Amino acid sequence: MTKTDLILHDALINKGIVDGKVLEPCIKQAEDSSQSLANILIERNILTEEKILSILSGELNLPYLDLKSLSVDMAVIKRIPLKVASYYKFLPIKVEDRTLSIAVSYPLDIKIQDEIRMQLGFEIETNLAREADILEALSKYYGLGADTLEKIISQVPAEQATLADEQEKIEDIEKLAEDASVIKLVNQIILEAYKKRATDIHIEPYRGELVLRYRIDGVLYDAKIPGEIKRFLNAIISRIKIMSNLNIVEHRLPQDGRAIVKTQDQALDLRISTLPTPHGESVVIRILPTQMLLSLERLGLRLEERNLFERLIQKPHGIILVTGPTGSGKTTTLYACLSRINTKERKIITIEDPIEYELKGITQIQVMSNIGLDFARGLRSMLRHDPDVMMVGEVRDLETAEIAIRVALTGHLVFSTLHTNDAPSGITRLLDIGLEPFLVASSVEAFIAQRLVRVICSKCREEDKTPLSQLREEVARGLNMESTEKIKFYRGRGCEDCNFTGFYGRTAIYEILLLDEAIRDLILIRASASQIKKVAISRGMRTLRQDGWRKIIAGITTPEEVMNVTPSEDIVGTGKEELVNLDELGIKISQSSDKRVYGRLDTRINLRYKIFKSAEELLKRGYTPQHLGAAKNIGAGGILFISKEAMPVSAILELAIELPNEQESVECLARILRVKEIEVNKSYDIAACFLDITSAQRAKLDKYVKSKLEE
């Protein structure tokens, strides 16, 4: 036992902190091993490190420092070599004349003090601090993994690391990548990212330097790393490639892979992507927990919005589209919805690129474009597995959109995403890629736009009185508040918990556009997104910015966060349902503005049809009487015809369309979208969209319409 151990033992006995019988086995273990008495007491959970340091501080008259609240001058750090500080596990604090003040986790004996004095040429002044704080401070001031790099440099010749990117040196790089020190360095980079709550690690090579950045709460922060790490870029990247089963020889092409690593308390799913650059390969590592609790309650929804979500996801059929840019949390929202309705009675299948989280009880398909498995093909195959609910990672093209919509029209609930700035723009996006308006109007239940904003740290939140009065007035105007007196803004002061950023975590703001009859009518006449937005606001829709204002007043986030992620808006809703005059909006139906994918022909064509008022009745096929009708307007996507009787909207028809000069009629199923009574002759205009029409039949109809339009 050392002299310090004896002092600690006597203090514990004299002050009655620990019973002598409890100390006896600890003393024996300390005498039989090289461990200090303090370490044994900590391992056996008899005393905490803080308590031991506090006792030693009083007995030896040594200051006990909180390193997290202490700032060290970099001039001091530069004067003390890392290899000395890391070997003896101390942090240099300050230099005054010829005296070096250091922080150690356990008092140094005379021999070690003499060694440090001989190597550095300073007299030593000792302070006490927690070991974890010392190691964290060494990483902070000297750079992440600096001590590990010192070991690598001492073992590997400089020319080996410098020339490692040459083809003939690939064997050396592979061996170096498997070296314990390189493995430890990569593990340190990943573990530090996890501790800081980072979602991504960016390793970026530039001329003469290597940059390491962590994305925390959506914002990139530079990590301090030693300059020597640039020499070992190829070894680091090779190690990452080996972890993710990528080709370490290939440096010219992008590569993607995945790996699973275990941290202190859970496994992490790593998605690795490499890109070739002029100065080496750039690597991004996405960090995903293998187990993640996904629930609607944690999405940042207000009670009113959560109830609305609950009603939407319980619908038997239709499409729910979540919109927003990349990284706005769309997939997380969809996963939370799927988790809520995931029961043994439902078959749920998803097709994604990539699969972000693995969900128990849900069949998930990974898109693989290199073998032809895209969203459209996967969606068609999913139907053969009799699903109740489907999720399509993204609607990217007309083919995927058409299949998804026809799946929804035939009785399935479909979730998907779009890249648009707000909810109304989702409508114009679908029309722009080529969908017919009546298909959008009849199948989509809601567009949900969302953004992510950073949450103010609860430990250091305080009221912010600096915002301008104009900002308070804008918030009051956006939320229809009569005065600004009750409006308070908050900010995070910055503390240890939030890494002195003032923010801890993120939440979502939402804009939910429900497709009621008024919105569906606007879609059918191809109204612009701004016109649809104005009507939706007048009918109670809350915009992204308005939802952001609510979270600002609740003290959840800051005005800067909301304004950074939401577009400015001149339209302010009253929150009350009002009647809107379409003429005032300037909505006109004109042939020149028609952007239909398929031409429409006003003509008279004979047809036969059978009516099935429900899906169950459709299974009987043939028990309803056959009717005769005449088309008024037809295209390859749908038909408008005259009927002598009223028909229920959403009923399914079995059609047989008789085209002139064609021997065979076009036969398919159709769904009724609109029914309009004609008072003059007491008949009805019936608008219907085709459901299961084949490509050949659609082409035949389109060819017929085009030929007649050209005449």
Side-chain angles (χ1 to χ4, degrees):
M1 286 177 58
T2 63
K3 184 178 179 181
T4 305
D5 287 343
L6 293 173
I7 293 171
L8 177 61
H9 171 269
D10 294 343
L12 294 176
I13 295 295
N14 296 335
K15 295 182 179 181
I17 298 172
V18 180
D19 189 80
K21 292 181 180 180
V22 176
L23 274 178
E24 282 180 13
C26 299
I27 295 293
K28 188 176 186 308
Q29 184 179 343
E31 290 174 344
D32 296 341
S33 67
S34 59
Q35 282 185 290
S36 66
L37 177 60
N39 283 341
I40 295 168
L41 292 171
I42 294 168
E43 283 180 2
R44 296 193 176 198
N45 293 320
I46 297 173
L47 289 174
T48 63
E49 185 182 10
E50 289 82 355
K51 182 66 175 177
I52 292 172
L53 291 175
S54 177
I55 294 169
L56 290 175
S57 175
E59 293 295 320
L60 300 174
N61 196 27
L62 297 176
Y64 177 29
L65 303 178
D66 179 10
L67 295 184
K68 291 189 175 180
S69 60
L70 185 69
S71 180
V72 180
D73 191 344
M74 287 304 298
V76 176
I77 298 296
K78 290 177 181 178
R79 295 182 69 175
I80 310 302
L82 171 65
K83 60 183 179 182
V84 177
S86 61
Y87 181 81
Y88 293 108
K89 291 186 178 178
F90 72 81
L91 177 72
I93 302 295
K94 62 180 178 179
V95 175
E96 290 183 352
D97 297 329
R98 300 305 303 167
T99 301
L100 171 65
S101 179
I102 63 173
V104 293
S105 60
Y106 205 61
L108 302 176
D109 59 34
I110 300 298
K111 181 182 176 183
I112 293 177
Q113 290 187 42
D114 287 341
E115 288 178 7
I116 297 174
R117 190 179 297 109
M118 289 291 292
Q119 292 194 51
L120 301 179
F122 291 109
E123 292 297 323
I124 303 301
E125 184 180 275
T126 305
N127 302 273
L128 298 179
R130 291 176 64 245
E131 183 178 7
D133 291 348
I134 291 172
L135 296 176
E136 186 178 333
L138 286 172
S139 175
K140 174 182 175 182
Y141 292 110
Y142 286 98
L144 179 63
D147 55 337
T148 308
L149 273 177
E150 287 281 348
K151 294 177 184 177
I152 300 174
I153 292 170
S154 64
Q155 296 168 6
V156 181
E159 60 272 11
Q160 180 175 328
T162 307
L163 300 175
D165 56 342
E166 296 180 11
Q167 185 64 29
E168 60 269 18
K169 292 290 183 180
I170 190 64
E171 296 85 1
D172 295 333
I173 272 293
E174 188 167 359
K175 290 176 184 176
L176 185 58
E178 293 288 4
D179 183 81
S181 297
V182 174
I183 293 173
K184 181 181 178 183
L185 178 59
V186 172
N187 290 346
Q188 284 177 320
I189 291 171
I190 296 171
L191 185 60
E192 184 72 8
Y194 172 70
K195 287 180 178 177
K196 290 181 177 292
R197 303 180 294 106
T199 55
D200 300 271
I201 304 170
H202 293 250
I203 301 173
E204 304 165 337
Y206 299 102
R207 185 183 299 277
E209 67 171 337
L210 180 67
V211 176
L212 175 66
R213 298 196 286 175
Y214 294 138
R215 188 178 293 279
I216 304 169
D217 295 333
V219 179
L220 282 170
Y221 295 94
D222 283 337
K224 184 175 178 58
I225 53 176
E228 294 84 0
I229 199 171
K230 169 71 175 176
R231 292 169 49 190
F232 300 95
L233 170 64
N234 291 323
I236 293 169
I237 291 176
S238 294
R239 173 59 195 163
I240 294 170
K241 286 183 176 181
I242 289 170
M243 290 169 56
S244 52
N245 294 318
L246 298 179
N247 185 356
I248 68 169
V249 181
E250 182 57 70
H251 304 287
R252 301 166 299 171
L253 295 174
Q255 296 188 69
D256 295 300
R258 62 178 295 186
I260 296 178
V261 298
K262 193 176 185 308
T263 61
Q264 300 151 332
D265 53 358
Q266 73 165 315
L268 300 176
D269 190 358
L270 306 181
R271 304 297 171 85
I272 290 95
S273 180
T274 70
L275 281 177
T277 74
H279 306 291
E281 288 181 278
S282 177
V283 178
V284 173
I285 303 174
R286 168 68 58 89
I287 303 174
L288 300 170
T290 53
Q291 294 181 345
M292 186 170 182
L293 181 61
L294 298 161
S295 65
L296 293 178
E297 289 77 13
R298 298 182 62 185
L299 293 181
L301 294 163
R302 293 181 293 117
L303 180 61
E304 174 190 345
E305 294 169 334
R306 199 186 313 152
N307 293 336
L308 183 54
F309 262 71
E310 294 277 7
R311 291 198 301 271
L312 283 172
I313 64 179
Q314 295 297 339
K315 285 183 176 289
H317 55 77
I319 300 181
I320 298 171
L321 288 162
V322 181
T323 75
T326 301
S328 59
K330 301 187 296 297
T331 304
T332 302
T333 297
L334 290 181
Y335 279 170
C337 293
L338 292 179
S339 297
R340 177 56 60 92
I341 61 176
N342 183 18
T343 61
K344 292 182 179 179
E345 293 77 26
R346 284 190 177 97
K347 171 78 170 182
I348 303 176
I349 306 179
T350 74
I351 179 163
E352 307 168 59
D353 184 21
I355 297 172
E356 297 279 354
Y357 306 109
E358 294 181 7
L359 302 176
K360 186 178 180 181
I362 294 177
T363 304
Q364 295 174 271
I365 304 170
Q366 170 69 54
V367 167
M368 288 182 279
S369 302
N370 56 331
I371 60 171
L373 178 57
D374 54 13
F375 284 116
R377 184 172 180 179
L379 191 52
R380 283 193 295 266
S381 300
M382 287 158 61
L383 286 171
R384 303 188 188 103
H385 287 252
D386 187 30
D388 299 295
V389 180
M390 289 181 282
M391 187 187 97
V392 185
E394 183 185 347
V395 173
R396 295 178 178 174
D397 51 47
L398 176 60
E399 185 180 13
T400 305
E402 279 191 328
I403 297 171
I405 280 183
R406 296 188 189 283
V407 165
L409 289 171
T410 51
H412 299 83
L413 183 61
V414 181
F415 295 91
S416 192
T417 67
L418 278 174
H419 285 119
T420 62
N421 289 328
D422 58 10
S425 297
I427 296 170
T428 54
R429 170 67 179 152
L430 291 180
L431 298 181
D432 286 343
I433 64 176
L435 282 176
E436 290 282 357
F438 61 82
L439 288 176
V440 178
S442 61
S443 61
V444 181
E445 294 294 333
F447 290 89
I448 303 169
Q450 72 174 79
R451 296 289 190 281
L452 293 178
V453 293
R454 290 186 290 175
V455 175
I456 299 171
C457 175
S458 59
K459 299 289 180 65
C460 60
R461 190 182 73 168
E462 61 183 17
E463 186 176 349
D464 184 7
K465 298 182 179 180
T466 58
L468 299 173
S469 59
Q470 292 91 327
L471 183 56
R472 297 179 187 275
E473 291 170 3
E474 184 178 347
V475 173
R477 188 168 61 252
L479 297 179
N480 301 306
M481 299 175 68
E482 294 181 356
S483 70
T484 61
E485 293 178 2
K486 296 182 179 180
I487 296 177
K488 291 184 179 180
F489 296 148
Y490 298 86
R491 66 180 179 88
R493 184 177 60 258
C495 64
E496 181 185 326
D497 277 19
C498 62
N499 201 25
F500 299 96
T501 63
F503 297 97
Y504 193 98
R506 288 189 291 176
T507 190
I509 56 176
Y510 290 94
E511 176 178 292
I512 305 173
L513 172 61
L514 297 176
L515 268 64
D516 57 15
E517 289 304 313
I519 301 299
R520 294 184 197 278
D521 287 342
L522 290 170
I523 294 172
L524 291 171
I525 60 176
R526 293 182 175 271
S528 67
S530 61
Q531 294 164 345
I532 293 173
K533 186 172 186 177
K534 185 173 182 179
V535 174
I537 290 174
S538 72
R539 298 177 71 81
M541 183 186 82
R542 294 286 180 185
T543 65
L544 283 167
R545 182 159 284 196
Q546 286 173 324
D547 192 31
W549 292 154
R550 286 180 177 274
K551 286 182 167 58
I552 289 170
I553 293 177
I556 296 172
T557 189
T558 65
E560 292 79 12
E561 282 293 301
V562 173
M563 290 188 291
N564 283 341
V565 299
T566 60
S568 60
E569 50 197 34
D570 299 323
I571 304 173
V572 178
T574 61
K576 301 177 181 178
E577 185 169 335
E578 299 177 359
L579 294 176
V580 177
N581 190 328
L582 298 183
D583 290 333
E584 291 179 359
L585 295 180
I587 302 174
K588 304 291 182 182
I589 307 175
S590 64
Q591 207 162 3
S592 61
S593 63
D594 193 0
K595 299 178 182 177
R596 298 179 186 274
V597 174
Y598 302 111
R600 303 285 289 186
L601 178 65
D602 294 328
T603 186
R604 185 179 180 85
I605 295 177
N606 295 329
L607 58 89
R608 301 186 308 277
Y609 59 88
K610 292 180 182 179
I611 308 171
F612 303 96
K613 296 183 180 179
S614 66
E616 291 77 11
E617 192 178 339
L618 180 61
L619 297 176
K620 301 176 183 178
R621 294 191 61 102
Y623 291 105
T624 24
Q626 194 174 86
H627 301 269
L628 298 176
K632 293 175 63 177
N633 182 292
I634 190 169
I639 192 169
L640 178 67
F641 66 94
I642 303 171
S643 171
K644 292 296 183 182
E645 60 176 320
M647 300 181 191
V649 174
S650 296
I652 296 174
L653 303 176
E654 187 179 67
L655 290 176
I657 304 167
E658 299 174 357
L659 296 177
N661 303 322
E662 292 286 344
Q663 293 182 353
E664 295 183 2
S665 59
V666 174
E667 297 181 357
C668 65
L669 295 178
R671 182 184 290 275
I672 296 175
L673 301 178
R674 295 196 320 276
V675 178
K676 182 180 180 182
E677 184 177 1
I678 305 172
E679 296 182 358
V680 179
N681 53 10
K682 294 184 178 181
S683 60
Y684 299 87
D685 277 351
I686 310 294
C689 67
F690 302 138
L691 294 180
D692 67 340
I693 189 169
T694 65
S695 299
Q697 289 174 327
R698 192 188 297 279
K700 181 190 289 187
L701 275 175
D702 197 34
K703 182 179 179 182
Y704 171 76
V705 170
K706 286 179 179 178
S707 64
K708 290 297 181 181
L709 289 173
E710 290 172 357
E711 290 180 358

